[in-house]
Amino acid sequence: MRHPDYSWSPFFLPENEDPVATLHKPPVYQSRFVSSSVDDVTHSASLAPLPDGGLFSVWFAGSREGSPSVEIRGARFDPHAGE
């Protein structure tokens, strides 16, 4: 089986920008607090790219590992809205 050709994701490559030049720029990182409570324990995060260039993340959160309060939570990043 052959893997499909790769293409630049819209959130990675600004319009009219050279992909090679972009690879040599320093990365930009942003972080946000994912938990709704400072008492939540969060772990096992996963991140997946979406076909529209967005990102989807899932993680476990709860009062402690193995607790009935543990939930699977998720968040989506929309590159067009920037959030």
Side-chain angles (χ1 to χ4, degrees), residues 4-76:
D5 292 334
Y6 289 101
S7 61
W8 295 101
S9 179
F11 71 86
F12 175 75
L13 189 61
E15 284 187 40
N16 303 319
E17 191 161 330
D18 176 22
V20 176
T22 300
L23 290 174
H24 298 289
K25 287 184 176 180
V28 175
Y29 296 98
Q30 293 180 344
S31 64
R32 296 180 185 171
F33 192 63
V34 298
S35 206
S36 55
S37 168
V38 293
D39 296 329
D40 282 347
V41 176
T42 59
H43 62 284
S44 299
S46 297
L47 184 67
L50 299 174
D52 69 350
L55 298 171
F56 190 73
S57 179
V58 294
W59 63 92
F60 291 100
S63 60
R64 64 176 172 79
E65 191 164 342
S67 168
S69 69
V70 172
E71 302 172 325
I72 299 174
R73 298 182 182 173
R76 183 185 188 285

